[in-house]
Amino acid sequence: MSIFNKQSHAFMDVIRCDEPSYLIWKWRPAGSQAGGNRDNAIRWGSSLRVKDGEVAVFVYKQKNGVAQDFIVGPYDEMIKTANFPILASIVGLAYDGGSPFQAEVYFINLARIVQVKFGVPYFEVYDPRFGDFGVPVAVRGTVSFRIEDYREFIKLHRLSEFDLEDFQAQIRDAVSRYVKDAVANAPAAHDIPLVQIETKTSEINDDIEYNISERFKESFGVVVSGVDISAIELDKSSDSYRQLMAITKEVTAKKVAAETLDYTERLRIQREEGQYAQHKQTQTANIGAYQVEKQAEVGIAGAQALGQMGANGAGGVELGGAGFNPAAMMAGMALGGAVGQNIAGTMNGIMSGAGKSAETPPPVPNTAYYVAKDGKPTGPYDMAVLAQMAVSGQMTSDSLVWQSGMEKWAKAGAVDELKKMFETAIPPIPSEE
């Protein structure tokens, strides 16, 4: 667009970009043709308008190279050397305020986000567990980017030769390479079967976006604002896919069977532990009955052991050529009872200490008597020892006995709980004449 300058009777230019959608756009004076002499001619005193989110780049050709001025929007002023430092050093730019100067003007859109759709055709991806089956996989998606560092962008791309379609094709090819590499490595990187790769689309998407962000900034001078993989497709009609599915199902079935067996074994162990815990709880609740049972078992075992000793001839007396030892048998029974009672008492003490919180019956009273020998008291002896003494003849029914609570000494045969010992006692064997 141009305006008329009354003093010089020439048209002044208004340099601005009216394109609705662009990334890089080159301005040309009104009425000029591409490649003509006036293509880059800018009249002194023209105005420049740069919208917010844009940057205008003035490119001047000099003898020693190319110079550039950057005007970042918003900006709306006349072109002056104070605003364009490079213009002040260019000799012969204006004559009487009317002659044009040569400069290429480009507008770069910093606000626009460019979206490029990409598609990666079928390529083979291998499951790390089954390397013999390569399944064709295709990927579709969109990558979004924008220009942030315009100076770096200009270093990487010649503005005069910039073509958006060609630039998008370069972006598309680069994205396809990175996507292909990420998808091919996804089964091993994410430890998943290839047939389940579609379930990891989100994770693969994040990996691709992370990998290409720095590479695109270095290679293309753009900032990637997002990657959106819309689909990862396996060629389910291929033979390799069907074969891989069959193997995967077989492996899965074996894994499920092993897990089921392990679960069943865990249930069995839990059930047995629960039964044992319940048994111990019941046993603790009935500790008194349990103690009595064990006392009886110990007493019987002791009597059997000592009785067996007598049966084997220990202390036996030969009668008519046949070995018979009734005294030893009686002593074994008495001693077995005594041992059983003593061991039971010990167990009772241990069990009482282990189950103090449970209510237990009082201990069985242990009766003891003193026995008079040679006019002197001996003892006291408990019932088991007295029974042994009665059997061995060390105590007879006429022996004097006494215990706490009796008023005086009494014959053993007259005491109710002792006289039974003499009913089974064997009389002494008369001497042979």
Side-chain angles (χ1 to χ4, degrees), residues 93-157:
L93 287 179
Y95 296 91
D96 296 329
S99 299
F101 64 90
Q102 297 292 317
E104 296 178 357
V105 182
Y106 298 90
F107 284 83
I108 300 177
N109 192 342
L110 303 180
R112 181 187 177 187
I113 295 178
V114 181
Q115 291 185 334
V116 176
K117 293 184 177 180
F118 63 87
V120 183
Y122 283 114
F123 63 98
E124 288 191 344
V125 179
Y126 291 85
D127 193 310
R129 304 172 303 165
F130 312 104
D132 296 333
F133 304 99
V135 179
V137 178
V139 186
R140 298 194 309 272
T142 304
V143 60
S144 304
F145 63 89
R146 61 185 177 84
I147 299 174
E148 184 176 88
D149 189 344
Y150 53 87
R151 294 178 184 269
E152 186 65 24
F153 182 84
I154 292 174
K155 289 180 182 179
L156 296 172
H157 307 279

Side-chain angles (χ1 to χ4, degrees), residues 26 75 122 124 131 192 234 264 287 317 326 335 373 383 424:
K26 182 179 180 180
Y75 183 92
Y122 283 114
E124 288 191 344
I192 57 171
L234 287 83
T264 303
I287 188 66
V317 178
L335 184 56
K373 287 188 178 181
M383 298 299 291
T424 58

